[in-house]
């Protein structure tokens, strides 16, 4: 399997730190090559209203490595699903904001796993966004889990979390993307599609999406990650 992937992230103007995180675990990482468990990508957005939102995003990014490091985790979609549930429970166990029922740690995330069986699994919770471009069609592959400004699903939710899981059979040459809400709050799906239609390489496409969001005066942290499936 060979993929071309790149990410671009920009701190929002009202934030002291960039609370977004991303992961690119592919042929560039010796651990990934050795494990033969496919490639994994993620965009993670720490919830600003959670005191430990940035820590939650970092925890997800760090713990995703276990899929390649821990041989006890089955090398399949169910194994990854169980790992994600474990990560969610760990964040939930950090506790609640005093005098509330809101968790201290919370994060939205979209995770894409390209399996060795030529399948793509997308795990999603929150207001990050995943999309797919075949060259002929562009469409969303995740749904926004929110009601206004309130997230309905997120990591750190404990047993209440129901991950959205989608399975796709991609073709070589297909392009996939993930972005944080710093992008979706200022760019429409059509805006992003127009950039993808001009795709030359993942680095330039990810940077153009992020910079376009910045020029649109995005107030949140901005992250765009683009993956092109070059060869199974």
């Amino acid at each position: 399997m060979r993929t071309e992937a790149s990410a671009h992230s920009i701190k929002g103007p009202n934030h002291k730190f960039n609370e977004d995180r991303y992961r690119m675990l592919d042929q560039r990482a010796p651990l990934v090559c050795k494990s033969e468990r496919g490639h994994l990508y993620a965009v993670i957005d720490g919830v600003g209203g959670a005191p430990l939102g940035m820590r939650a995003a970092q925890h997800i990014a760090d713990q995703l490595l276990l899929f390649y490091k821990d041989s006890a985790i089955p090398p399949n979609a169910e194994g990854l699903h169980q790992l994600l549930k474990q990560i969610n429970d760990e964040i939930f166990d950090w506790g609640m904001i005093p005098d509330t029922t809101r968790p201290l740690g919370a994060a939205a995330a979209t995770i894409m796993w390209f399996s060795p069986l030529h399948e793509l699994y997308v795990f999603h919770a929150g207001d990050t966004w995943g999309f797919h471009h075949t060259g002929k069609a562009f469409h969303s592959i995740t749904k926004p889990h929110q009601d206004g400004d309130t997230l309905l699903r997120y990591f750190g939710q404990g047993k209440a979390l129901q991950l959205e899981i989608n399975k796709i059979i991609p073709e070589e040459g297909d392009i996939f993307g993930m972005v944080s809400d710093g992008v979706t709050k200022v760019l429409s799906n059509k805006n992003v599609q127009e950039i993808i239609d001009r795709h030359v390489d993942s680095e330039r496409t990810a940077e153009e999406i992020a910079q376009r969001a910045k020029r649109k005066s995005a107030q949140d942290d901005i992250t765009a990650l683009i993956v092109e499936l070059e060869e199974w």
Side-chain angles (χ1 to χ4, degrees):
M1 183 190 310
R2 188 173 69 248
T3 51
E4 182 202 41
S6 186
H8 198 79
S9 193
I10 303 171
K11 182 182 73 67
N14 295 332
H15 291 179
K16 185 176 181 180
F17 303 104
N18 188 339
E19 299 188 355
D20 286 356
R21 295 292 185 271
Y22 61 84
R23 267 292 183 202
M24 297 190 291
L25 298 169
D26 53 27
Q27 69 271 1
R28 293 169 288 187
L31 175 66
V32 173
C33 294
K34 183 179 179 180
S35 71
E36 298 183 340
R37 287 178 172 229
H39 297 177
L40 188 150
Y41 302 92
V43 164
I44 311 152
D45 181 0
V47 174
L52 300 181
M54 183 170 65
R55 178 180 162 189
Q58 186 65 57
H59 186 70
I60 296 168
D62 291 342
Q63 296 301 99
L64 286 173
L65 283 168
L66 290 176
F67 186 66
Y68 297 96
K69 286 183 172 181
D70 189 348
S71 60
I73 298 174
N76 53 36
E78 182 56 29
L80 181 54
H81 186 201
Q82 291 304 314
L83 173 60
L84 295 174
K85 289 170 65 176
Q86 174 186 315
I87 295 169
N88 164 66
D89 290 342
E90 289 168 352
I91 298 171
F92 179 79
D93 287 343
W94 295 349
M96 299 291 146
I97 300 172
D99 302 318
T100 76
T101 58
R102 292 185 290 123
L104 287 166
T110 302
I111 297 122
M112 295 187 181
W113 177 54
F114 292 80
S115 89
L117 300 179
H118 297 190
E119 299 166 333
L120 170 65
Y121 288 87
V122 183
F123 301 85
H124 172 69
D127 56 359
T128 48
W129 176 43
F131 54 85
H132 178 200
H133 190 285
T134 65
K136 297 180 179 179
F138 177 92
H139 58 271
S140 298
I141 50 177
T142 61
K143 299 175 182 177
H145 302 146
Q146 61 188 131
D147 182 6
D149 292 331
T150 301
L151 285 186
L152 303 178
R153 303 189 200 183
Y154 52 87
F155 284 83
Q157 202 170 12
K159 293 181 179 179
L161 175 62
Q162 292 184 331
L163 281 171
E164 176 187 342
I165 305 173
N166 295 303
K167 178 182 173 181
I168 298 168
I169 307 298
E171 300 288 339
E172 293 178 354
D174 284 3
I175 299 169
F176 296 87
M178 290 166 277
V179 298
S180 63
D181 67 345
V183 174
T184 58
K185 286 180 178 178
V186 295
L187 298 183
S188 68
N189 291 13
K190 185 171 179 57
N191 294 150
V192 174
Q193 180 181 353
E194 289 169 351
I195 296 171
I196 299 295
D197 285 341
R198 300 193 300 273
H199 175 81
V200 175
D201 61 60
S202 296
E203 182 176 2
R204 277 185 273 186
T205 299
E207 182 174 5
E208 184 175 351
I209 292 172
Q211 292 295 343
R212 175 82 68 88
K214 182 180 180 181
R215 291 195 297 271
K216 286 283 189 176
S217 301
Q219 298 302 300
D220 287 306
D221 300 326
I222 299 165
T223 299
L225 193 159
I226 300 296
V227 184
E228 181 176 356
L229 177 61
E230 294 186 329
E231 183 181 322
W232 276 121

